[in-house]
Each structure stands twice: as C-alpha cells, then as structure tokens.
Amino acid sequence: MDRANNQRDTEALILQAAEREFLEKGYTGAKTTSIAEAAGVTHAMLHYYFRTKDKLFEKILADKLDKLGEIMFGVIGNTGLPLRERLVQGIEGHFDFIAANPLLPRFVFNELHSLPDRLEAVKYKIAPLAKAVIDNLQAAIDENSRRGKCRHVDARMIVMDIVSLNIFPFLANPLISTTFGTLFESREAFLKMRKKENVRTILDKLRLDYE
Amino acid sequence: MDRANNQRDTEALILQAAEREFLEKGYTGAKTTSIAEAAGVTHAMLHYYFRTKDKLFEKILADKLDKLGEIMFGVIGNTGLPLRERLVQGIEGHFDFIAANPLLPRFVFNELHSLPDRLEAVKYKIAPLAKAVIDNLQAAIDENSRRGKCRHVDARMIVMDIVSLNIFPFLANPLISTTFGTLFESREAFLKMRKKENVRTILDKLRLDYE
DNA sequence: ATTATCTATAGATCTATAGATAATGC
DNA sequence: ATTATCTATAGATCTATAGATAATGC
C-alpha cells in the first residue's frame, strides 16, 4: 500500500469508530481508548491524527450538523409543488432521515445541553435554514388559507409539530419496544404506520385532505 | 442535633445533590466526588450511606420512574368527565408535569438507551399504567365516535402524539431558545402558547371542538 | 457500644505525549 | 527526510475502602 492510502485508511477508520462511539455514548461517555480499539488502531494514532478528544469530537459534531442542515435545505427546494404535496414530502423526508440517523436527535440534544457553547455553531448553521423553511411554509399557508384551501396556522408551530412527532419514535425506541412490544407486529410495521400517522396529523391540523 | 436528625440530613443532602447531578449529566457524566461536594459532605460519606455509585443511581432512577407512573395514573382517575375535558386535563397535566421536571425525559431516554437492563423496572412499573391509560382512552373514543361525536382513532397513536408534542419543547430547550429566540417574546409565553397548541392539535385530530 | 464523620490512599481508568522504530517517497 | 506507527508512561481523575477519630445513645 502507498502512503496516501494508509493515511486515509487509519484516519477514516478512526472517524468512523468515533462517530459511532460519540453518537452512542456522547462526549463524556465515549473513550478515546475504545474508539481506537474499535477502529483497530493503537491509541496513540488517534492523538497523532486528531491531537485531542475534543478536536475529534468537534469534527464529528460539525459533520452531523451539516447533515441536519442538508435535510432542512432539501425541504425548501420543492417550492414548485402544491402545499399538500410539499408537506407530505417534507414530513416523510424528515422521518426517513431520522430513521436513517436514529441516534442523531438524542446526540444533538445531549451535547447542546451539556455544553451550550456549541450552540454557536448551531446558531449560524441551523437557525438560518430553519427560518427559511418556516418563512417558506408560512407564505404557502398564507396563500392557501386566503383562498379558503386550508386553515390559517402558524408555520413555526407546524414545524415544531413535525419535528416533535417524527423524532419521538426514535428517542423513545427502547421504551416503545417494551411498552408497545405486544401492541404492534414489528418495529418496521410500527414505524411505517407512525410515519403515515404523522403526515395525517399535520394535514388534519391544516384541514388539508389526505387520500 | 440528635443522631436521627444528622443522619437524615446528610443522607437527604446527598440524595438531593445526586438527583440534580444525575438528571443533569447522566450516569457516566455524574461523579460521586462532585455529588459529595455539591451536597457539602465529604466524599466518603456518599459511600458510607449508599455503598456504590450504582446503588445511589438506582435509588434516583426508581424515584423518577415512580413519579412518571403517578402522573400517568392521575390521568386515569378523571373517568367521570366527558372525553373532551378528560383530554384537555390529561394533556395539560402532562405538559405541566414535564415543565416541572424538564430534565426527566432526556434522562429517562438516555439511561434506558445506555443500559437497557433498566428497562425491566420500566416494563413492570410503566407499561401496565400506559396500557391502562390507553385502554381507558380507547373505550371513550369508541363510545364517542359511535355516537358521531368524534372521529374514530387509535388511542395508542393519540397517547404517542401527546407525549411527543409535550416533551419536545423541553428536550430541545437550548435549540429552541436559540433558533426561535427572536420569534417569541419570552420562554414563558412560548411554553404557554405551546401547551394550548398541543391541546388544539389533539382535539383537532379527533374533531372535537375547542372553545 | 454504636453510628457518623474525616483523612489518606489504593487501584482502576483515561487522556495525552515522549521517544524509539518502521515504512514511504525523493 | 518525512510520515506513520508502536511501546511505555506521566499525570489527572474517579470510585471505593481502610483505619482513625468524634459524636450519640444506652
């Protein structure tokens, strides 16, 4: 193997292991020793490439916040569609994103809670996107409600509703599996049902029909 | 001071400090040294009264799960009222409980995630109560919908909706303060508005009018 | 006598680095 | 020559306990 290949390998291996460990256990719970072990490299390598646990963590956090930004940005894209379709796509897209990154909400809430300084990054990366999504949605709601097509509601509340409803099944995963274990056939069936239900709840609130 | 008084004092002081620290930082993040310091007792006292960090933690966790159980049980009590009032009271009661224990949801999710063994306690303490709440609500919905008073919906979904919507503002507290900081006058005003909104969302879904 | 408290410290774990050695590219 | 990797270990932090001392109740 040539150098470039080797270098990238260990660095990437550490990043992968770090992502998993940080998302699973949070900053304090994660240990650089176990990250190195999981990555299959010696512990010194971790510090060789990233100097400190903190720097490694910041890299992971920034990555995750970027991902969070992307999904929000994606929602703004579909401006051409009618309100109803935009909502359905936006809600289902958000749900699927969380389903693909089920540990992300807890991770973000935890780390922002324990170290509010990290909010600075969020303030500049996430807040503007959230504002764009909300303004965009509010304009569409205003227009539709003026034409009697739907109720007039606060877009901030709708966005909060969507996020609340979509992240819960993943945050409460162990609780739901236990409490509702006998009440649903399988986790997959439950999640599919829940996604549809969340779409319905929002459309219902706006008095937009669903098929 | 007599012995009994002294004994209770330190023990209670440790418990108070431990509750705060565990809820704030979780099991791994909390340190017995800082708990002792916060309680204003020597570190050895903590181990004298509780032997291990684990035993102290279990005491706090059991306490919190009991509280969680109480609020759920409270909801079942108001069977005499019509469905609409039961829902309003149930939702607002739950919201107020979370507002009074804002760190509880994150704590429960985190600890159950990191150590699923603790689910055993939940399985026996919480699951039966949740089932009772749901069965109770489903019966009321069935009856009301049969008489054309409301839509027929799955009570499990309604309960999940309520919990999702009510806990979010507290889980995402730092995020909301930052992202919506400029969009609401104060945190109190926001929470009050959000509580009403959540009631409205649920009543809406059932097509039960709100005043 | 028993219970509560303190000081001191053992032993484990964890982050970080120093310094030696091996691999790679010029 | 430079970059990557390894071994060994310093230094900090944390849980837990041992053993001495003070307070309390009989």
Side-chain angles (χ1 to χ4, degrees), chain B residues 45-110:
Chain B
M45 281 297 90
L46 190 147
H47 290 280
Y48 176 72
Y49 281 106
F50 300 97
R51 297 283 309 159
T52 66
K53 182 184 180 183
D54 233 73
K55 285 202 169 64
L56 178 56
F57 178 81
E58 291 297 340
K59 201 151 248 165
I60 303 293
L61 180 65
D63 251 43
K64 288 295 155 187
L65 290 181
D66 282 346
K67 270 195 123 178
L68 211 63
E70 279 169 37
I71 168 75
M72 297 181 79
F73 191 74
V75 178
I76 314 174
N78 54 14
T79 313
L81 298 171
L83 178 57
R84 190 189 161 287
E85 275 68 36
R86 270 166 76 181
L87 279 168
V88 174
Q89 284 192 18
I91 298 165
E92 295 195 341
H94 180 257
F95 190 97
D96 293 339
F97 171 74
I98 303 293
N101 301 273
L103 300 177
L104 192 53
R106 222 192 55 247
F107 174 74
V108 171
F109 292 150
N110 278 335

Side-chain angles (χ1 to χ4, degrees), chain B residues 21-37:
Chain B
E21 177 111 355
F22 279 131
L23 279 172
E24 185 69 34
K25 305 183 183 169
Y27 182 79
T28 44
K31 305 296 164 189
T32 56
T33 42
S34 25
I35 291 172
E37 194 182 6

Side-chain angles (χ1 to χ4, degrees), chain A residues 7 10 42 48-49:
Chain A
Q7 190 175 350
T10 36
T42 57
Y48 176 74
Y49 281 106

Side-chain angles (χ1 to χ4, degrees), chain A residues 24 106 110 113 122-123 134 151 156-157 161 164 168 175 183 193-194 197 201 204-205 207, chain B residues 24 106 110 113 122 151 156-157 161 164 168 175 178 183 193-194 197 201 204-205 207:
Chain A
E24 184 70 34
R106 220 191 58 244
N110 278 335
H113 175 84
V122 177
K123 201 181 280 178
I134 287 168
R151 267 202 196 147
R156 297 172 301 178
M157 290 291 161
D161 292 336
S164 304
F168 180 78
L175 259 180
L183 302 177
M193 185 191 283
R194 192 64 190 156
E197 181 77 13
T201 304
D204 232 40
K205 191 165 167 170
R207 290 281 157 103
Chain B
E24 185 69 34
R106 222 192 55 247
N110 278 335
H113 175 82
V122 176
R151 267 202 196 146
R156 295 173 300 178
M157 291 292 162
D161 293 336
S164 304
F168 180 77
L175 260 180
T178 314
L183 303 177
M193 184 191 284
R194 192 63 190 156
E197 182 76 14
T201 304
D204 233 41
K205 191 165 166 170
R207 291 281 157 100

